[in-house]
Amino acid sequence: MRSFILIFISALSCSISAQPRPCESPTLYVGSVSMTAADGIITSAASYSYDAHAQQIRFRNYMTVFNESITMDLLLLFKQGVMYEIDYSRLSCQKKVLESSFHPTRVPADAVFMGQVILGTMSVPGLGLLTNSWVGEIPEIQAQYMLTFTEFTCLPVSAMVFTPQTGWITFSFYNHLLGVQNPQDFVPPFFCPKAAPEEHLPKTNFLKALRPSH
């Protein structure tokens, strides 16, 4: 009987330890993301460079809203508290005060593990991707979310976010490469304003900057 109890406790411990835990993505990587919102009225495809150590993101987005195409190129420097809206076609650049704080890409600590699935197949080595899905809420903005991250390396695969103001927004992440391929992604172009009194700059945050202004 004692042996049976020891075996049961050992098996239970293995089961508990095997359950995935919330994780954080690598500090440096690049990738692409597609987004759909407003029942398909708004769609976008973007590439981005992510540097959690220096708290900076370069975000190049191509968006369609009611069949109108909008492009945006954003450089967000969270430590400096500034954001640049860049337009290479016109050699124009607008500097703004960035009011958002930096949030690393990760599964929130209070997220609830929902399940583990394999994308692709395990029948052939190398053709399956093990992923974990999580659900949770952000009460302060009345948001609900479902996140899927890879089991190994903790890279984002997909996200669904709902708020009463926006409805459901879906994200799909792909083409990730570890490390930053071009360090110049985080350097403002030569035609950007080098210095300007912050009290004279317009203010923005990341979500506000992503909204089409025309």
Side-chain angles (χ1 to χ4, degrees), residues 20 107 111-117 119 130-136 145-151 157-158:
V107 177
V112 177
F113 177 64
M114 188 174 67
Q116 193 171 69
V117 299
L119 301 180
L130 186 60
T131 65
N132 301 319
S133 294
W134 309 80
V135 294
Y145 62 81
M146 183 174 74
L147 309 174
T148 299
F149 277 68
T150 59
E151 164 70 8
V157 175
S158 66

Side-chain angles (χ1 to χ4, degrees), residues 134-201:
W134 309 80
V135 294
E137 297 182 353
I138 308 175
E140 54 266 30
I141 59 173
Q142 297 181 293
Q144 301 174 347
Y145 62 81
M146 183 174 74
L147 309 174
T148 299
F149 277 68
T150 59
E151 164 70 8
F152 305 106
T153 314
C154 191
L155 288 167
V157 175
S158 66
M160 297 178 63
V161 182
F162 174 85
T163 71
Q165 294 76 25
T166 63
W168 283 104
I169 304 176
T170 62
F171 301 88
S172 296
F173 300 87
Y174 50 96
N175 289 345
H176 287 124
L177 292 173
L178 297 183
V180 171
Q181 311 303 304
N182 183 11
Q184 291 298 311
D185 279 350
F186 303 117
V187 178
F190 69 91
F191 50 84
C192 284
K194 295 297 184 281
E198 289 193 0
E199 61 269 19
H200 298 152
L201 294 176

Side-chain angles (χ1 to χ4, degrees), residues 76 78 81 97-103 204-208:
L76 301 101
F78 291 89
V97 173
L98 182 60
E99 296 182 312
S100 306
S101 57
F102 181 80
H103 298 282
T204 190
N205 58 55
F206 185 52
L207 292 179
K208 183 179 179 181

Side-chain angles (χ1 to χ4, degrees), residues 39-111:
D39 295 326
I41 294 175
I42 301 174
T43 61
S44 74
S47 62
Y48 65 99
S49 300
Y50 173 86
D51 181 353
H53 178 72
Q55 297 186 6
Q56 51 194 9
I57 299 174
R58 185 66 177 270
F59 192 82
R60 298 178 174 92
N61 191 26
Y62 178 83
M63 179 183 297
T64 59
V65 182
F66 290 110
N67 296 322
E68 179 185 0
S69 297
I70 301 170
T71 59
M72 60 179 68
D73 186 350
L74 307 177
L75 173 58
L76 301 101
L77 305 176
F78 291 89
K79 282 188 176 180
Q80 292 90 327
V82 297
M83 186 192 78
Y84 295 93
E85 291 184 1
I86 302 164
D87 187 341
Y88 274 96
S89 65
R90 300 178 182 177
L91 292 183
S92 65
C93 180
Q94 186 175 13
K95 185 178 180 181
K96 296 183 177 182
V97 173
L98 182 60
E99 296 182 312
S100 306
S101 57
F102 181 80
H103 298 282
T105 303
R106 62 185 175 191
V107 177
D110 59 351

